[in-house]
Amino acid sequence: MENLIILGTGIAGCTAAVYAARANLKPLLLSGPEDGGQLTLTTDVENFPGFPEGVKGPELVQLCKRQAERFGARFMVDIVESCTQTKKGFSLKLVGGNVLETKALIVATGASARWLGIPSEEQYKGRGVTTCATCDGAFFKGKEVVVIGGGDSAMEEANFLTKFASKVTIIHRKDAFRASKIMQERALMNPKIKVVWNAEIAEIIGDGKRVSGVKLKDTTNGKLSDFKCDGVFLAIGHVPNTSFLKGLIEVDELGYINADKNMHTTIEGLFAAGDVQDKRFRQAITAAGSGCMAAMEAEKYLAEKGVH
Ligand code: NDP
């Protein structure tokens, strides 16, 4: 039986691990399918305090992981299929059948990229349709690509893609972006970036093997038109990874865990941290902060149960 299992090795989980490990709890972390979380899919993080020149996302999370390991945190690559409450804590069934038992649990499983959910997207996933510019941008050297979305991610991805693509078009379903001013300005001032307003993707077009364009639907009048491109980068937000907690824990209508301001969930001994419980801020620093809080509360909970 473990004292504390932390699900997720993003910045929330790793920060929780630093605190829990320094409290001698020897936490065990499970990576899930996206080891290191969303930061591993970004390039420069310019707003994490303490890095005046910025820091690479993957480096930041790697440093945090090393820091946790230094104090005795253990990391395991595995995926939890389901979670149940037991008399002594929680039982986690892993994909593959193994079972882990723990006295306390911190869920920091984050959120994964949202897809459009149209049939042609499925057909062209990995053949020109992707959710990660950092991972796939280099495949589009000298090509024309579109970025879907109007948030900070779309702006960031569009800017990043201009390093490779000959032309980047942001397609947004409204007539204004929700992205922060500074990110919008950077994208709009980039000569390689154009914008198509009031349009959504009705279909991805191609020859069955590669994308050759998208069919756009004008959101003001419903008119359809074809738009030529070689790649489609989706930046339309994220979905919290909570499906394995079905039936155990209270989540809101979008699937986010309902945690209180001290990171307690509706179940005693189960804490939440990071994007899995935060649809408002979703920043690396707030995820890290909530990871710290969850770990401190888990430590207090375990101490009350006689675990030191
Ligand atoms: P957001 O939720 O902020 O934006 C998602 C965008 O996708 C919106 O413009 C939304 O449109 C659009 N969208 C959603 N669903 C669809 C759909 N089915 N079809 C077409 N468009 C759709 O997500 P982000 O990932 O951009 O940002 C998440 C958080 O991360 C934010 O807090 C952001 O500030 C932060 N972030 C910060 C960065 C930085 O500071 N460097 C970089 C990247 C992210 P609509 O506007 O119409 O709702």
Side-chain angles (χ1 to χ4, degrees):
M1 161 92 51
E2 299 286 340
N3 290 327
L4 175 65
I5 289 183
I6 299 171
L7 302 181
T9 51
I11 192 74
C14 286
T15 306
V18 170
Y19 276 78
R22 286 191 79 243
N24 255 340
L25 292 173
K26 299 189 172 48
L28 174 66
L29 281 90
L30 265 64
S31 67
E34 291 173 29
D35 191 11
Q38 285 180 57
L39 281 177
T40 59
L41 307 177
T42 62
T43 47
D44 297 318
V45 178
E46 292 180 339
N47 50 12
F48 200 91
F51 296 91
E53 307 305 327
V55 57
K56 299 275 180 232
E59 188 189 344
L60 177 60
V61 78
Q62 197 54 38
L63 286 170
C64 192
K65 186 177 173 183
R66 264 178 44 207
Q67 197 173 351
E69 277 174 333
R70 189 180 140 211
F71 296 109
R74 294 157 299 143
F75 288 77
M76 195 169 135
V77 177
D78 221 318
I79 298 173
V80 177
E81 198 171 78
S82 60
C83 175
T84 48
Q85 195 172 16
T86 62
K87 272 195 184 132
K88 290 184 175 163
F90 302 92
S91 174
L92 304 172
K93 189 170 166 230
L94 307 183
V95 167
N98 285 346
V99 173
L100 295 172
E101 306 279 340
T102 182
K103 291 173 192 157
L105 182 64
I106 295 177
V107 177
T109 44
S112 297
R114 174 180 285 127
W115 294 81
L116 291 167
I118 54 176
S120 50
E121 169 187 73
E122 203 54 47
Q123 184 181 6
Y124 290 105
K125 258 185 199 174
R127 296 168 173 189
V129 180
T130 168
T131 57
C132 181
T134 322
C135 323
D136 299 325
F139 297 125
F140 293 86
K141 213 162 184 198
K143 310 243 175 189
E144 297 189 5
V145 301
V146 296
V147 175
I148 319 300
D152 281 335
S153 297
M155 305 302 121
E156 189 174 68
E157 304 247 309
N159 264 315
F160 177 73
L161 285 165
T162 59
K163 287 189 192 176
F164 311 101
S166 57
K167 184 181 163 203
V168 178
T169 306
I170 302 175
I171 296 174
H172 185 39
R173 61 185 179 184
K174 292 196 180 128
D175 63 1
F177 292 139
R178 70 160 68 184
S180 57
K181 220 166 176 214
I182 182 169
M183 302 288 280
Q184 287 195 37
E185 276 170 8
R186 268 186 212 165
L188 294 170
M189 281 166 65
N190 189 320
K192 271 186 163 182
I193 298 178
K194 301 278 175 275
V195 183
V196 173
W197 302 103
N198 299 314
E200 58 189 22
I201 309 292
E203 193 189 331
I204 315 275
I205 307 168
D207 61 2
K209 291 191 189 121
R210 296 293 312 169
V211 168
S212 62
V214 287
K215 195 172 279 300
L216 296 181
K217 184 177 170 192
D218 189 310
T219 51
T220 61
N221 58 24
K223 275 195 182 156
L224 294 172
S225 62
D226 288 353
F227 190 95
K228 202 174 121 327
C229 64
D230 307 294
V232 179
F233 287 81
L234 300 174
I236 58 171
H238 291 83
V239 182
N241 297 316
T242 49
S243 56
F244 68 98
L245 293 168
K246 216 170 177 186
L248 175 69
I249 199 174
E250 204 176 281
V251 295
D252 71 8
E253 69 288 355
L254 297 173
Y256 288 90
I257 294 176
N258 283 330
D260 70 12
K261 65 178 175 37
N262 296 326
M263 304 301 129
H264 292 242
T265 67
T266 45
I267 293 190
E268 214 194 24
L270 202 165
F271 306 86
D275 284 10
V276 75
Q277 53 80 53
D278 172 21
K279 57 175 180 273
R280 185 180 175 95
F281 298 106
R282 298 181 289 192
Q283 302 297 303
I285 185 65
T286 50
S290 67
C292 154
M293 290 156 75
M296 290 177 76
E297 289 298 286
E299 181 192 348
K300 204 166 130 217
Y301 168 80
L302 287 168
E304 281 163 9
K305 296 232 168 289
V307 180
H308 296 282

